[in-house]
Amino acid sequence: MFAAAFIVRLGVSAELGQTALFRNAQLDSREYLSWAQRIAIGNFSWPVPPAHGPGYPFLLGALLAMFNGSVPAVRLVQAALGAVTCLLAARLSGKLFGKNAELATGLFLALYGPLVLTDVSILSEGLLLFLLCSTFLILSGRVESRPRLFAGGFLLGAAAIVRPTALLFAPPLLLWVAWRSGWNRRALLGAGLLIAGCLVPVLPVAVANARSTPRPVLIQGNGGLNFYIGNSPGGGGVPSVRPGEAWDQLEGEPARKGFALPADQDRYFYAKTFREIASSPAAWAGLLATKALWTLQADEIRDTFSYGFFQGLSAILRFLPGFGLIFPFAVAGLVFTAYSRARPVLLWIWLATALATCVLLVVASRYRLPAVPAAAVLAGAGVAALIRRDGALRGRRGAAILAAGAAAVVCHLRVHEPSHRFSEEWSASGTSWNQEKERGAALRDFDRALALDEGYAPARVGRGVALLNLGRLDQAEAELRRAVALEPKSRVAVTELGLALERLNRPAEAEAQYRAALALDPKDLSTRRTLGDNLLRQGRAAEAVTLLREVILRAPGHAPTRLALARALGAAGRAAEAIAEAREATRLDSERSEAWVTLAMLALDTGDLGQADAALREAERTGAAGRDTSLGRALLYRAERLPDRVDRELRPLVRSDPGFRPAVELFLENARQRGAEREALDFLRERAHRPS
């Protein structure tokens, strides 16, 4: 069973490894990977607030540190973890229903396509399911066992810091413990042990959040936004708000209304949701019924990306079963277990809570996954009962077959058409190619997206970025202006147009675009930081300092912002403050070579040659053997009055990059001091006339 699960996952990972979108993390996966990469190099600064629970990023960071940053190695470990999850669920099935059920459950999960894909993706649900299966397997033992209750609570708490929705399992589990213990003092003790175990992983995360912001969230942010998307009576209860103008407008709405802190933004969305429900209760009741039906459909509704898109790229995934196979057998198992003497109440709690969570929040493929192991255990029970030769089961067998047949019909009533239109996925694939600097492949995939939907603005944005990176600046500007015309309230489109104008040496126009983007989403720190850099390029260092300090108040642990502030302070003539910020940037991210180069340059400006030399050594250690480190080393030699070394450092740099004016000017100045100006000029003329 383990081998089957592991090999299938490795096969899918190998197949999809040929595709850019799988290799290069996007959206949620990119946020997970970015945080984990900082953890892997020892940067434990806390996001404000975390967009996701920290459990998976910390595991991912540990694996990246262990495997020298290798994402394929991480996928290998995750494939093994997914195979273990299949064994845990199978073991629970075996304890409850026997060997045949154990085998069927294990194979159902080993071959369940959406879980196979998730287990080898940079997503948290694989770890979440491992922890949930461990929780329920441990709790399935003797409820009188205090260590079991504490361990079960601890595992549930660990699951909660992966996905906070796991906390919704706590209330029914507490009631179950009290019921099993007879509603007495022992029940109170058991419930207390379960809660205590749960708090052990949850409390440190809550404390870290409390330290990072005045009004903290418990585990992660964006809970209010997701609740609104799933429960607005005017919506569909599925992730229909997609990247682009619609998402930017909704996400930035609280900030435009003056709610700056993450916890306040969550409360804004919760309040807005309840107001809409109160004004249209019948519509909301209808929405819940619709969501319940969607939750039971065989079709996989897109959340981050469409499962159907990856099915089209993987021959293995195309042949793997999904919810449409497990659900009918699970219904058959439910019929059999409902009439058994030892009713699996714990299993029913798992399935009912997971399905209710999906219905009460958002219906989507990843949101439904926590229900799948419980459904697979019941499906195993259904298979075992159907093949069992027992005349006593004859009546139940007929009822189970009828119920399974009805379930097979019900789960194929609807197909979510938007999840099978792949302009979004092809556009994200183009973005992935852009990250790999494969501009031709990027343009090809953006064109594929536009062929499916010529009005899909994010593809226009991506295409503009690809053209910009190819140096086709006028075409890039035209493409980005088309994107802004399609979605004038898309913060991303407006910001990318500003970056193109920056490249076209039109900083004032770029500034106007950045300010327009901030008007759309005042809390967006990356655009605010970009505007700070723009002001610095325009020589407005004091304004840049003010703006960047505002960003740091919101994100004190962000190394690029610290570095930008160091440059702005240096340009404003505040050298001591600039050096302090540059040092903080190197502390937060010791592998960021540009931070070490900036620290070296600032130290040279203040005459601290020892610090400059140490910073340049660190820059060279991190692999920054570029023109900035060579120039910094030359400036250090000049300060040490070593003109021959200055010449030896600059000559290769000027030879390879004669357009780098600071190096050329320093080369000529040093040559004059050495009395070798004519030789230096001849060298430059010879280089200028030599064919590239």
Side-chain angles (χ1 to χ4, degrees):
M1 196 184 297
F2 178 89
F6 187 55
I7 289 169
V8 167
R9 282 154 176 75
L10 289 188
V12 169
S13 182
E15 277 189 314
L16 294 179
Q18 309 303 311
T19 64
L21 182 54
F22 186 75
R23 284 196 305 272
N24 295 277
Q26 301 295 333
L27 300 181
D28 286 0
S29 298
R30 189 171 186 179
E31 291 172 354
Y32 283 129
L33 187 59
S34 176
W35 189 358
Q37 286 170 335
R38 296 199 301 273
I39 292 168
I41 61 172
N43 177 4
F44 297 101
S45 57
W46 202 255
V48 185
H52 306 281
Y56 178 63
F58 271 82
L59 172 66
L60 185 57
L63 292 174
L64 289 172
M66 188 182 304
F67 296 111
N68 199 27
S70 171
V71 174
V74 168
R75 296 189 200 278
L76 184 72
V77 174
Q78 290 189 181
L81 187 69
V84 173
T85 299
C86 299
L87 297 185
L88 294 172
R91 181 69 190 119
L92 177 59
S93 186
K95 283 180 68 175
L96 295 174
F97 309 117
K99 281 292 181 183
N100 287 334
E102 182 173 5
L103 178 61
T105 294
L107 290 178
F108 273 131
L109 288 180
L111 303 177
Y112 184 75
L115 180 57
V116 170
L117 176 61
T118 300
D119 279 339
V120 294
S121 299
I122 305 301
L123 293 170
S124 65
E125 281 71 22
L127 176 60
L128 174 68
L129 265 60
F130 169 79
L131 292 169
L132 285 178
C133 287
S134 301
T135 300
F136 283 91
L137 180 59
I138 281 181
L139 292 178
S140 67
R142 290 190 313 112
V143 75
E144 298 82 7
S145 170
R146 295 176 183 179
R148 279 182 180 274
L149 287 170
F150 184 84
F154 178 85
L155 289 165
L156 185 63
I161 66 170
V162 174
R163 286 293 291 267
T165 49
L167 286 176
L168 296 175
F169 288 99
L173 284 176
L174 289 172
L175 291 174
W176 173 80
V177 169
W179 170 68
R180 284 288 301 271
S181 300
W183 304 98
N184 51 27
R185 290 179 62 185
R186 182 181 295 173
L188 187 62
L189 176 60
L193 286 168
L194 191 71
I195 293 172
C198 188
L199 290 176
V200 170
V202 169
L203 277 180
V205 175
V207 169
N209 282 327
R211 288 177 174 174
S212 66
T213 181
R215 291 194 189 94
V217 295
L218 179 62
I219 294 175
Q220 69 174 59
N222 293 331
L225 175 59
N226 289 331
F227 185 73
Y228 177 77
I229 290 172
N231 285 282
S232 171
V238 299
S240 53
V241 182
R242 306 303 304 168
E245 184 178 67
W247 178 268
D248 292 345
Q249 280 293 287
L250 183 61
E251 186 185 34
E253 185 178 311
R256 291 195 299 274
K257 293 181 180 293
F259 296 93
L261 294 173
D264 292 338
Q265 291 163 10
D266 274 351
R267 292 188 190 101
Y268 169 84
F269 279 118
Y270 287 127
K272 181 176 181 177
T273 307
F274 290 126
R275 281 197 307 271
E276 291 187 10
I277 291 172
S279 64
S280 305
W284 182 64
L287 176 66
L288 290 182
T290 301
K291 289 164 70 177
L293 183 60
W294 274 125
T295 299
L296 301 179
Q297 295 308 295
D299 201 19
E300 297 291 334
I301 296 176
R302 172 198 280 122
D303 34 53
T304 306
F305 293 117
S306 170
Y307 174 68
F309 177 78
F310 290 107
Q311 271 187 309
L313 300 175
S314 166
I316 297 174
L317 282 180
R318 279 197 293 275
F319 290 100
L320 293 181
F323 198 72
L325 178 66
I326 284 183
F327 179 59
F329 282 108
V331 170
L334 196 59
V335 170
F336 282 114
T337 59
Y339 288 98
S340 66
R341 290 182 180 177
R343 293 174 181 173
V345 176
L346 186 64
L347 182 61
W348 294 350
I349 287 173
W350 182 357
L351 182 63
T353 305
L355 292 177
T357 300
C358 205
V359 172
L360 293 173
L361 295 177
V362 181
V363 182
S365 182
R366 286 165 57 199
Y367 279 82
R368 184 169 65 183
L369 272 178
V372 168
V377 173
L378 277 172
V383 170
L386 287 170
I387 65 175
R388 191 166 135 205
R389 297 180 180 179
D390 188 340
L393 293 177
R394 187 173 302 156
R396 285 185 237 166
R397 187 175 288 114
I401 291 171
L402 284 174
V409 172
V410 167
C411 73
H412 288 92
L413 289 177
R414 305 187 72 174
V415 173
H416 190 249
E417 291 295 340
S419 295
H420 299 277
R421 295 196 289 267
F422 301 140
S423 52
E424 184 176 327
E425 283 73 22
W426 284 119
S427 179
S429 179
T431 300
S432 298
W433 284 119
N434 262 341
Q435 290 175 356
E436 294 186 358
K437 297 183 170 48
E438 294 286 346
R439 314 305 182 196
L443 288 173
R444 178 199 66 206
D445 283 356
F446 288 128
D447 288 341
R448 283 179 174 174
L450 292 169
L452 294 171
D453 181 0
E454 64 179 0
Y456 187 60
R460 294 281 178 197
V461 173
R463 198 171 190 281
V465 171
L467 291 167
L468 193 65
N469 290 329
L470 284 168
R472 293 152 63 177
L473 304 185
D474 292 335
Q475 290 175 289
E477 181 188 0
E479 194 69 71
L480 289 166
R481 289 198 182 278
R482 287 192 198 102
V484 172
L486 286 167
E487 291 189 348
K489 294 183 178 180
S490 167
R491 176 189 56 79
V492 175
V494 172
T495 301
E496 290 294 348
L497 177 58
L499 293 170
L501 292 168
E502 196 101 53
R503 287 277 298 274
L504 285 161
N505 200 27
R506 290 148 62 184
E509 292 179 62
E511 179 189 348
Q513 296 299 323
Y514 300 145
R515 293 193 182 279
L518 282 175
L520 294 169
D521 187 357
K523 71 177 175 56
D524 182 59
L525 300 184
S526 63
T527 303
R528 196 173 289 272
R529 186 171 62 251
T530 302
L531 176 58
D533 289 337
N534 171 274
L535 294 172
L536 184 57
R537 291 189 196 98
Q538 293 187 66
R540 294 153 62 184
E543 292 178 65
V545 167
T546 301
L547 192 71
L548 291 167
R549 284 210 184 279
E550 292 175 7
V551 178
I552 285 174
L553 285 174
R554 297 275 301 280
H558 195 256
T561 305
R562 293 280 184 183
L563 184 57
L565 179 58
R567 290 169 177 158
L569 287 165
R574 295 155 66 176
E577 294 174 75
I579 286 177
E581 292 296 339
R583 280 180 181 156
E584 182 64 11
T586 60
R587 186 191 69 80
L588 290 169
D589 189 351
S590 61
E591 300 302 307
R592 183 175 290 272
S593 57
E594 59 180 323
W596 289 111
V597 172
T598 300
L599 177 58
M601 295 297 190
L602 290 167
L604 285 169
D605 287 344
T606 60
D608 189 344
L609 304 188
Q611 181 168 228
D613 181 51
L616 286 171
R617 290 181 188 279
E618 286 295 320
E620 290 157 357
R621 177 190 63 78
T622 59
R627 65 183 196 174
D628 289 332
T629 49
S630 294
L631 179 62
R633 184 63 66 185
L635 288 167
L636 177 63
Y637 289 148
R638 186 184 69 164
E640 293 175 336
R641 301 174 186 255
L642 299 170
D644 290 339
R645 289 194 180 184
V646 174
D647 185 72
R648 283 200 301 271
E649 191 70 40
L650 289 176
R651 198 171 283 266
L653 179 57
V654 171
R655 182 184 295 114
S656 63
D657 191 357
F660 187 27
R661 290 191 61 184
V664 171
E665 291 170 1
L666 182 59
F667 177 66
L668 287 172
E669 180 186 341
N670 185 65
R672 280 193 290 272
Q673 291 176 358
R674 294 171 57 242
E677 185 175 9
R678 182 180 297 278
E679 178 194 347
L681 287 170
D682 289 342
F683 176 81
L684 291 173
R685 290 192 194 98
E686 177 188 356
R687 180 60 200 157
H689 290 93
R690 184 176 298 170
S692 299

